[in-house]
């Protein structure tokens, strides 16, 4: 029997649930981008089409698996799938990083082994939301790193949650 790969959701989320604004992030946190790169490097990233379109280009060192309802959609550098099961099958034995957006997070939350959260305290203006993932399962906090606001960068914390 083949053991399924570890599935990690990687998301930055404000206290009020905002994860996006106008197709991008509503904040600029350099350390979060560096952490995102470190966490996703060498993984099969699963994302929705809009998240793929929002990327600055193909991210090196990672596979780009795009889950879309559009049966005719394709893009250079994207492995296109149309279901959660197909996405996980295409990822094969590689570790999986779920990188968004909101619908994709909701679909994969029941399959996730770990959550890597960047939490931005406070209410942030945005148009894309995610419920607190801790409300939908039994999670154990295994790491927390607090960072104060500095200049234009808001306060944030890195939190790792593992499924209990």
């Amino acid at each position: 029997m083949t053991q399924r790969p570890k599935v990690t959701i990687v998301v930055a989320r404000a206290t009020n649930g905002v994860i996006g604004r106008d197709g991008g992030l509503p904040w600029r946190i350099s350390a979060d981008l560096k952490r995102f790169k470190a966490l996703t490097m060498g993984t099969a990233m699963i994302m929705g089409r809009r998240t793929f379109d929002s990327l600055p280009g193909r991210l090196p060192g990672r596979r780009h698996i795009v889950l879309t309802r559009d049966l005719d959609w394709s893009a250079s550098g994207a492995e296109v799938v149309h279901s959660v099961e197909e996405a996980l099958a295409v990822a094969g034995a590689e570790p999986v990083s779920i990188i968004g957006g909101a619908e994709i997070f909701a679909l994969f939350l029941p399959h996730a082994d770990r959550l890597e959260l960047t939490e931005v305290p406070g209410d942030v203006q945005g148009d894309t939301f995610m419920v607190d993932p801790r409300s939908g399962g039994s999670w154990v906090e295994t790491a927390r790193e607090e960072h104060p606001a500095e200049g234009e960068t808001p306060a944030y914390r890195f939190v790792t949650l593992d499924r209990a």
Side-chain angles (χ1 to χ4, degrees):
M1 183 166 112
T2 308
Q3 188 174 4
R4 80 170 174 84
K6 185 175 194 174
V7 176
T8 302
I9 290 177
V10 182
V11 62
R13 183 185 175 277
T15 303
N16 64 339
V18 167
I19 62 171
R21 179 173 59 220
D22 300 328
L25 294 173
W27 45 71
R28 175 88 175 134
I29 302 172
S30 178
D32 179 49
L33 298 175
K34 289 180 178 131
R35 182 173 186 251
F36 175 87
K37 182 178 180 180
L39 289 169
T40 60
M41 188 59 70
T43 71
M45 296 186 309
I46 298 175
M47 67 202 85
R49 183 197 46 78
R50 287 189 304 257
T51 297
F52 179 83
D53 289 343
S54 76
L55 297 175
R58 193 154 176 263
L59 304 179
R62 292 153 275 194
R63 289 173 63 197
H64 295 63
I65 299 172
V66 180
L67 175 56
T68 177
R69 287 186 281 273
D70 184 345
L71 299 179
D72 296 322
W73 185 85
S74 67
S76 177
E79 298 173 65
V80 181
V81 296
H82 305 289
S83 71
V84 168
E85 297 74 21
E86 186 183 3
L88 292 172
V90 166
E94 286 184 65
V96 172
S97 297
I98 309 302
I99 67 165
E103 286 182 61
I104 302 302
F105 290 136
L107 286 170
F108 282 91
L109 190 58
H111 303 275
D113 302 297
R114 173 171 279 179
L115 296 167
E116 292 289 0
L117 297 174
T118 299
E119 294 184 322
V120 179
D123 290 345
V124 173
Q125 292 291 324
D127 54 27
T128 308
F129 297 85
M130 177 183 181
V131 297
D132 188 336
R134 288 168 284 220
S135 66
S138 50
W139 298 95
V140 176
E141 186 175 309
T142 55
R144 174 180 289 255
E145 195 179 299
E146 300 277 347
H147 299 272
E150 195 174 301
E152 296 291 311
T153 303
Y156 61 95
R157 68 182 71 92
F158 294 144
V159 179
T160 300
L161 302 163
D162 287 304
R163 191 172 293 280

